[in-house]
Every structure is written in C-alpha cells, then in structure tokens.
Amino acid sequence: FQRAGVQFLELANGRALVADEMGLGKTVQALAYLQLHPELRPALLVVPASLKINWQREAARWLSTPENISILSGKKCNPAQLELASLIIVNYDILSDWQECLLNIKPAVMICDEAHYIKHGSKTLRGKAVIAMSKKINRTILLTGTPVTNRPAELFPLLNILDNKAWGNFMSFAERYCDAKHNGFGWDFSGASNLHELNEKIKPWVVRRIKSQVLTELPAKRRVTLPLEFDK
C-alpha cells in the first residue's frame, strides 16, 4: 500500500494529499517520492518544530541518495544555510520569516507534514506562507492523518493549496459541501452536505488508507513492557 501511495504521488505529479491513518508510513512514502526523483532538489520539508530532528533521522535512514540536510532555526534568514543544501527542514512557526530566502533558491518540491496545521488557510501566518510558496513550487505534497477533524470546511484550504484552479472558490465549496447558511449575522460554514459526492470529487488529489484496510500488509504487533520508576 505504501508503493501504491508513491504511485499515486507520481500520477498526481507531486501535488497531492496523503491522508493515511497515523502509523501507516506517510513519511516513508514522501521520502520514497524524493528517492524516485533525485533531480527534484532542493526539497523543502515543512514540519512542526518537534518533528524536525525526526525528519532528519528518517531521511538519513531511508534515502540512499547523498543528501546535504539543513535544519533551519531562528527568525532571521541566513542564506548561508541554504547554499549547498539538498534537503531543507523548517518548522511552520518560522516559515514566513524564511519565505523570501527559500523562494530565492527555487525549491523543486515542498512537503508539508501534519498539514492540518494549515487548515485555517490564509487566516494564519503559516497558512499564508504555505499558500504563497505552493504557487511558486511546482510540486507540493501534504501529509496528515487528520485532514478533517470536525467539518468539511477544514479540507478546502488543503485542496486549494494543491490546485487553486479546481478548488479556487470557497463560497461555492461551502454551499455545496458545508451546508452553508446565513443566520442573520453572518455565514455559518460548520455544517456538512453531499459528502459522498465530495469523497468522489477529491480522489484525484487525496489518498487515504486506514489500518483495518491494510492490516495484512503491516508487521506483527509487538508488545513491550517498560517498567518506569517515578519520583515524588
């Protein structure tokens, strides 16, 4: 199923959302796509701050192509950190500060992990930065196990990032899939409607598998007892 996920990214020309359930290897699939395309460098990895070291470790583990990995920190852009880097890891919180510098080196692909961080779209600095950069970077891969946490309206910013022509009008999306209503004070987009149709319509951009679907392809469950001693 991970190979199928990589094939999906290939068919989508590197603009897709991998929404597999947690634990099914979204990171590995994104790295496999980079392995398949060593010409797509530099590659930009946008991740939560707590996952920067993990992505560096996973890249070193899975990629057999020689990579120069740079982990960005601080809000002041330092072009020297970008000069020779083939993989650049940056966290969402500082992306807007590095945005201009990053675009100057013309990344060939951008991978956004935990993409639900940008579900509010242009209402947040991180969302604005990702949206702006996705328009300049030909390939954008979004990864999240929770593409919709509460309502379909949260999915629209992600679809818009992937294809702002097909998913460019939020109001028409909201009227069709969010059961949009005007309550006398303003518009309410918290509802849901025509979900089966939405599920079919997003298939060219979104792939999602859950554990129960791929159980036979997963390694056996391991149970380990870890005794812990707590202080007061």
Side-chain angles (χ1 to χ4, degrees), residues 121-141:
S122 58
K123 293 179 182 178
T124 63
L125 276 176
R126 66 179 65 160
K128 282 181 182 177
V130 171
I131 290 169
M133 296 186 73
S134 69
K135 292 177 180 177
K136 300 288 181 68
I137 301 173
N138 287 334
R139 293 169 174 82
T140 298
I141 297 171

Side-chain angles (χ1 to χ4, degrees), residues 46-150:
V46 186
V47 306
S50 60
L51 296 180
K52 289 198 287 188
I53 300 301
N54 182 67
W55 269 89
Q56 180 188 37
R57 183 168 56 244
E58 293 296 296
R61 176 185 178 189
W62 292 104
L63 294 178
S64 62
T65 48
E67 305 290 349
N68 186 1
I69 302 175
S70 180
I71 299 181
L72 307 185
S73 60
K75 293 194 171 184
K76 188 174 181 181
C77 174
N78 180 6
Q81 292 189 51
L82 306 176
E83 286 178 1
L84 300 175
S86 61
L87 295 184
I88 300 159
I89 303 174
V90 61
N91 54 298
Y92 285 104
D93 300 321
I94 64 172
L95 180 62
S96 59
D97 300 292
W98 284 82
Q99 181 179 335
E100 187 176 345
C101 277
L102 289 167
L103 287 176
N104 284 341
I105 64 168
K106 298 180 179 177
V109 58
M110 175 170 65
I111 296 170
C112 297
D113 192 18
E114 304 293 350
H116 52 271
Y117 272 52
I118 48 177
K119 68 181 180 181
H120 297 298
S122 58
K123 293 179 182 178
T124 63
L125 276 176
R126 66 179 65 160
K128 282 181 182 177
V130 171
I131 290 169
M133 296 186 73
S134 69
K135 292 177 180 177
K136 300 288 181 68
I137 301 173
N138 287 334
R139 293 169 174 82
T140 298
I141 297 171
L142 306 179
L143 311 174
T144 176
T146 52
V148 178
T149 50
N150 293 302

Side-chain angles (χ1 to χ4, degrees), residues 150-211:
N150 293 302
R151 51 188 65 94
E154 298 169 345
L155 185 60
F156 180 82
L158 306 184
L159 295 170
N160 177 256
I161 286 168
L162 297 175
D163 191 337
N164 62 7
K165 291 181 180 177
W167 304 95
N169 189 314
F170 174 71
M171 196 62 203
S172 62
F173 178 92
E175 288 175 345
R176 186 68 185 161
Y177 304 116
C178 305
D179 194 24
K181 290 184 174 69
H182 198 283
N183 57 22
F185 299 97
W187 283 97
D188 179 5
F189 304 121
S190 61
S193 52
N194 301 305
L195 295 186
H196 179 73
E197 178 186 312
L198 178 60
N199 184 54
E200 291 298 313
K201 193 172 179 180
I202 64 176
K203 283 184 177 179
W205 294 272
V206 182
V207 60
R208 176 171 172 83
R209 282 75 56 91
I210 60 176
K211 287 180 182 176

